[in-house]
Amino acid sequence: KAIRRPQPPYPEEARVAGIQGAVVVEVTVGEDGVVLEARAISGHPLLRDAAVEAARGWTFSPTSIQGYPVKVIGTITFNFRTG
């Protein structure tokens, strides 16, 4: 469960070009709920960096299995829309 969800700023170059759409970012979340790694796995190249930077700022409730904290891998989808 995400407890901090900063949203990415719309890259100016993409906004001027009218580029919009979804960017999917794969994240690895540590035992403490902090994002350890983030990488864009789909989306327009001009939108990817902003999405990855935003994903790195997310914080999650720690995940545990049978009482032990564990790392998890998941995805976050950011939608960029003009107007």
Side-chain angles (χ1 to χ4, degrees):
K1 176 182 169 193
I3 55 177
R4 183 170 178 270
R5 304 174 187 201
Q7 295 302 303
Y10 209 121
E12 189 60 28
E13 185 178 2
R15 183 187 308 278
V16 169
I19 295 166
Q20 52 187 353
V23 177
V24 178
V25 179
E26 181 182 83
V27 293
T28 301
V29 180
E31 292 90 341
D32 57 358
V34 173
V35 173
L36 301 174
E37 296 177 33
R39 69 182 183 96
I41 57 175
S42 71
H44 193 283
L46 289 179
L47 301 173
R48 287 179 172 218
D49 287 347
V52 167
E53 284 305 310
R56 287 185 177 134
W58 281 42
T59 306
F60 295 84
S61 297
T63 300
S64 60
I65 296 177
Q66 297 180 348
Y68 294 97
V70 294
K71 286 183 186 176
V72 292
I73 296 173
T75 59
I76 304 169
T77 301
F78 295 99
N79 292 301
F80 292 86
R81 301 273 181 259
T82 57

